[in-house]
């Protein structure tokens, strides 16, 4: 039995009850009936053992390049952590897209308190390593890696959602896709194990590829995601985009790709080992190809770049992404021809490489559908492509075949399998579809082409557009004209022009014109527009085109120098520019603690032509250790300015590290300051305290989700994840919001907040938002009198104890202490 051999081969790794092993040595006909198992832990151990066997087959079959089938890698040998960020807050106060906080490690995703099942959503574009990361989890669990996520979990269930067409329950999915036919457990046994095992974690990989995504049959999977099903289990979902419905308590994480450090680690770990010379050769080849810098932030494509750059002596400098892809596809075909000595095979291979109209049409048809189709039935594909063509592209790794279970069963009750085919990666689908798009662009008139292109979202299919422009200049001219007619399309059009010729000389005038004015990246920009702008800056920098000013408006929630680059809240990196003269970073919620300010100055130092760095910051900044300020900033006499409400307040003395108040402008903290988990709350409290002591007006403080309670000293105690922190009385605070959704506050807690407000001498407005409060405030006559004398307004968007389901705006009567409906 296959299972027996594999299981015995890894007994040294997996500790399973000997009774269980004896079962696997028994012929199926004489195997005890599952109903005779008396101990639930025996069932559990059988399931755990077979799951580890199933995962071993997956995590030991990693292919960095499609055609490398003779060298499969274990995931632990190739997995490198890229960047990751966690969403904090609900965005109500901080604004959409501004609440991402960088995580130090992928392990930090799973730091919720034990015993509290939760839903995790890991978001990323294709190629950013969602599946590789989850396979690393299965490796860690299967081999007992201590301290890793899921190391203490009894059962880890890993399912690829794209396989689950027609599957109606979690237990059925496990039995069909993860367990061998020889396993004695039935679906009912698995269901019982899931119900009675206290420590179960579930990983659902690829929500955006789930074939039942919008069908009634997918309801059970949607119930798992929303915690209506499997409420006692941790569930991790990987996806390109968010599900329509998920719990408000879900932890959202996104992967942001490889920085320089991660690329270096991968080269050493999976490509060349500790050879410094080889590492530098690959890194130099990436530097020689700046047009690929953006593509190589995507781990999948950096991995292919690194292997090809190491293995191909003829590796050259590429003028465009189209040229690089053409080279890569050629390598795939050449690899197969080099393995075959039959001249007939070589001749046929060259024919298949050059003639692929039907595959291109098939790829385009799939991508242009409202619900993109990037998976095909094997029979359909062979009928359209021909068996020889299909087998060739399967052998080079371009097409991947996968067995899936149908809804049908045989007469004796066995499942019926079918084969589905997909591209190795969606980007290869875009490559072949680009040939068909280029052909359409040449033959269709302007109106017809515009109608056709409206089916193809540039944000989703940017490389389809770029490839089509690079493959056929005549088609590119018409496509670029269409893009330039779109709002914000001029920057993306520059990239498509570059694909056409590969010569920056052809677009220099356009780049000069765009860079002569302020180049802006804003919070509301699409990721494609932001990406296009970053690449525009790269082109200007590498070809010595002056850039007057880069304005980052509301898109840098934290000024983090990540791997030498600025990190935007979209996850994109902005490399230093050699021609940039001014950087302006604005946004009411910009946080720059001391360490990150030094990082920002280090980034500024790398911008060789920089003359001025301007910040619009939330709070007056702390002075900096003079010895940590990059020396060249001092010798170059770069201006570092701090703006508040568009009025100049401070400039940084680079010699002393001190912020010096400018002669004009009034110091104040405008906008609001949010105190919530994940917002570096300790630093904010210290800065608020410092501002109050200096007499600087503080417009508004919003306390969100920290269960604030007034303590004996009169301060507000904030409950954090691992500690308590107090917000002292702020004499210059003008408005205070207490936002704590669904919290029930008693009279003592409300009186405490009112008392704190009365002691903050400048407060004019106090707002309770989202709580359930007593109908009347009692025992606070002195406090209410103080608030009355200062004409303070106490408002609430809240429920009361007598109307627990009626949330509305109310106003506190400061004479009677009764909450009254606001007129």
């Amino acid at each position: 039995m296959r299972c027996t051999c594999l299981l015995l081969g890894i007994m040294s790794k997996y500790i399973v009850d000997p009774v269980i092993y004896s079962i696997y040595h028994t012929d199926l006909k004489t195997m005890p009936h599952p109903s005779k198992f008396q101990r639930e832990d025996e069932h559990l151990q059988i399931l755990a053992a077979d799951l580890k066997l199933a995962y071993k087959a997956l995590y030991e079959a990693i292919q960095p390049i499609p055609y490398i089938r003779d060298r499969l890698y274990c995931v632990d040998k190739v997995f490198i952590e890229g960047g990751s960020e966690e969403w904090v807050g609900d965005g109500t106060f901080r604004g959409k897209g501004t609440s991402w906080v960088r995580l130090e490690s992928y392990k930090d995703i799973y730091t919720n308190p034990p015993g509290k099942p939760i839903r995790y959503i890991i978001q990323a574009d294709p190629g950013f390593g969602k599946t590789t990361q989850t396979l690393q989890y299965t490796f860690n669990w299967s081999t007992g890696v201590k301290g890793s996520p899921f190391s203490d979990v009894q059962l880890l269930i890993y399912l690829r959602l794209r396989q689950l067409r027609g599957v109606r329950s979690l237990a059925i999915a496990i039995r069909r896709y993860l367990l061998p036919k020889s396993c004695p457990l039935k679906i009912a046994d698995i269901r019982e194990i899931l119900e009675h095992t206290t420590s179960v974690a579930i990983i659902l990989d690829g929500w955006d590829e789930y074939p039942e995504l919008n069908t009634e049959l997918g309801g059970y999977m949607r119930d798992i995601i929303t915690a209506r099903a499997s409420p006692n289990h941790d569930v991790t979902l990987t996806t390109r985009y968010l599900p329509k419905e998920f719990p408000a308590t879900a932890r959202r994480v996104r992967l942001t790709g490889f920085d320089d450090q991660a690329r270096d680690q991968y080269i050493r770990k999976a490509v060349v080992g500790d050879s410094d010379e080889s590492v530098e050769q690959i890194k130099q080849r990436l530097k020689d190809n700046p047009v690929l810098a953006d593509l190589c932030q995507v781990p999948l494509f950096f991995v292919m770049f690194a292997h090809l750059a190491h293995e191909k002596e003829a590796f050259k400098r590429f003028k465009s992404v189209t040229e690089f892809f053409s080279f890569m596809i050629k390598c795939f075909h050449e690899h197969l021809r080099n393995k075959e000595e039959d001249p007939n095979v070589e001749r046929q291979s060259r024919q298949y490489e050059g003639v692929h109209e039907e595959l291109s049409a098939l790829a385009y048809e799939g991508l242009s559908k409202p619900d993109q189709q990037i998976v095909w039935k094997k029979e359909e594909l062979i009928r359209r492509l021909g068996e020889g063509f299909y087998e060739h592209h399967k052998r080079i790794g371009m097409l991947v075949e996968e067995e899936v279970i149908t809804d049908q069963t045989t007469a004796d009750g066995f499942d019926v399998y079918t084969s589905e085919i997909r591209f190795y990666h969606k980007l290869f689908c875009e490559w072949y579809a680009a040939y068909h798009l280029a052909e359409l662009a040449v033959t269709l008139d302007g109106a017809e082409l515009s109608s056709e292109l409206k089916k193809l979202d540039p944000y989703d299919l940017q490389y389809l557009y770029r490839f089509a422009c690079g493959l056929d200049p005549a088609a590119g001219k018409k496509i670029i004209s269409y893009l330039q007619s779109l709002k914000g399309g001029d920057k993306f059009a520059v990239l498509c022009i570059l694909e056409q010729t590969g010569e920056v000389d052809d677009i220099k005038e356009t780049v000069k014109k765009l860079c002569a004015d302020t180049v802006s990246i804003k919070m509301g920009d699409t990721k494609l527009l932001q990406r296009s702008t970053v690449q525009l800056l790269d082109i200007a920098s590498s070809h010595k085109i002056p850039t007057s000013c880069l304005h980052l408006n509301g898109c840098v929630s934290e000024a983090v120098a990540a791997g030498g680059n600025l990190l935007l809240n979209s996850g994109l990196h902005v490399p230093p520019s050699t021609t940039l003269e001014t950087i302006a970073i604005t946004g009411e919620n910009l946080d720059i603690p001391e360490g990150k300010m030094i990082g920002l100055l280090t980034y500024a130092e790398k911008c060789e032509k920089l003359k001025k760095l301007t910040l619009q910051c939330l709070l007056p900044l702390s002075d900096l250790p003079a010895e940590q300020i990059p020396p060249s900033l001092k010798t170059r006499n770069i201006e570092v300015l701090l703006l508040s409400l568009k009025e100049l307040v401070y400039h940084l003395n680079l010699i002393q590290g001190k912020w010096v108040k400018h002669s004009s402008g009034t110091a104040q903290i405008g906008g609001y300051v949010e105190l919530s988990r994940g917002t570096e709350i300790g630093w904010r409290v210290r800065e608020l305290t410092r501002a109050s002591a200096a007499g600087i007006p503080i417009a508004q403080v919003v306390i969100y989700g920290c269960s604030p309670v007034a303590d004996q000293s009169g301060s507000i105690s904030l409950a954090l994840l691992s500690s308590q922190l107090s917000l002292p009385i702020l004499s210059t605070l003008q408005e205070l919001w207490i936002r704590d959704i669904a919290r029930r506050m008693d009279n003592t807690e409300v009186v405490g907040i009112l008392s704190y407000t009365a002691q903050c001498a400048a407060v004019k407005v106090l707002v309770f938002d989202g709580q359930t409060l007593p109908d009347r405030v009692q025992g606070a006559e002195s406090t209410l009198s103080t608030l009355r004398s200062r004409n303070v307004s106490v408002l609430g968007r809240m429920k009361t104890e007598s109307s627990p389901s009626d949330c509305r705006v109310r106003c506190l009567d400061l004479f009677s202490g009764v909450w009254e409906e606001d007129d």
Side-chain angles (χ1 to χ4, degrees), residues 382-435:
I382 290 177
R383 178 180 59 79
R384 292 191 60 174
L385 303 180
E387 189 162 3
F389 185 97
Y390 163 72
E391 288 295 337
H392 173 80
H393 283 79
K394 177 184 170 185
R395 290 183 68 192
I396 67 172
M398 188 64 62
L399 297 175
V400 179
E401 185 173 324
E402 195 168 61
E403 275 197 341
V404 295
I405 299 173
T406 68
D407 292 333
Q408 302 173 343
T409 56
T410 62
D412 49 1
F414 288 100
D415 293 319
V416 175
Y417 288 78
T418 187
S419 293
E420 290 186 343
I421 312 301
R422 59 182 174 85
F423 281 91
Y424 174 78
H425 188 273
K426 185 184 175 185
L427 209 54
F428 292 108
C429 186
E430 292 186 49
W431 169 258
Y432 283 100
Y435 281 90

Side-chain angles (χ1 to χ4, degrees), residues 594 598 601 623-631 634 652-658:
E594 176 186 301
I598 295 295
L601 293 176
D623 292 337
L624 303 174
E627 67 277 6
Q628 293 185 27
I629 296 176
K634 305 172 186 178
L652 180 64
N653 184 313
L654 295 171
I655 304 299
Q656 301 175 348
K658 296 183 180 297

Side-chain angles (χ1 to χ4, degrees), residues 516-528:
D517 297 324
T518 297
V519 178
S520 296
I521 302 178
K522 304 188 295 294
M523 180 179 67
D525 290 344
T526 65
K527 194 170 183 180
L528 173 61

Side-chain angles (χ1 to χ4, degrees), residues 67 292 295 301 304 308 312 315-316 318-335 337 353-354 356 396 398 427-428 430-432 434-435 463 466-468 470-472 499:
Y67 62 70
L292 303 181
L295 188 69
F301 292 104
M304 286 194 281
L308 289 172
K312 298 293 180 181
F315 203 82
K316 58 182 181 178
F318 300 100
K319 296 178 180 178
S320 66
V321 177
T322 304
E323 192 178 10
F324 171 67
F325 251 72
S326 182
F327 172 81
M328 186 164 54
I329 300 295
K330 182 179 179 181
C331 289
F332 294 172
H333 289 280
E334 281 185 349
H335 181 82
R337 287 197 288 269
E353 180 182 356
H356 47 72
I396 67 172
M398 188 64 62
L427 209 54
F428 292 108
E430 292 186 49
W431 169 258
Y432 283 100
Y435 281 90
Y463 286 104
R466 293 174 68 175
F467 291 151
L471 291 169
D472 189 319
E499 291 296 327

Side-chain angles (χ1 to χ4, degrees), residues 105 139 167 172 200 204 286 311 370 405 426-427 429 440 482 576 582 681 690 761 816:
S105 167
F139 172 86
V167 177
I172 293 173
V200 178
L204 304 174
L286 181 57
E311 295 173 5
I405 299 173
K426 185 184 175 185
L427 209 54
C429 186
L440 287 176
Y482 166 80
T582 299
I681 193 169
R690 190 166 67 90
S816 65

Side-chain angles (χ1 to χ4, degrees), residues 31 42 80 161 212 297 306 383 480 551 600 768:
M31 184 178 288
E42 290 180 351
I80 296 293
L161 290 175
E212 309 293 356
Q297 282 189 26
R383 178 180 59 79
I480 288 165
H551 180 199
L600 185 57
F768 292 90

Side-chain angles (χ1 to χ4, degrees), residues 64-65 68 73 266 270-271 303-312:
I65 301 181
I68 303 184
Y73 291 74
Y266 181 84
V271 184
V303 164
M304 286 194 281
F305 176 92
H307 284 273
L308 289 172
H310 177 59
E311 295 173 5
K312 298 293 180 181

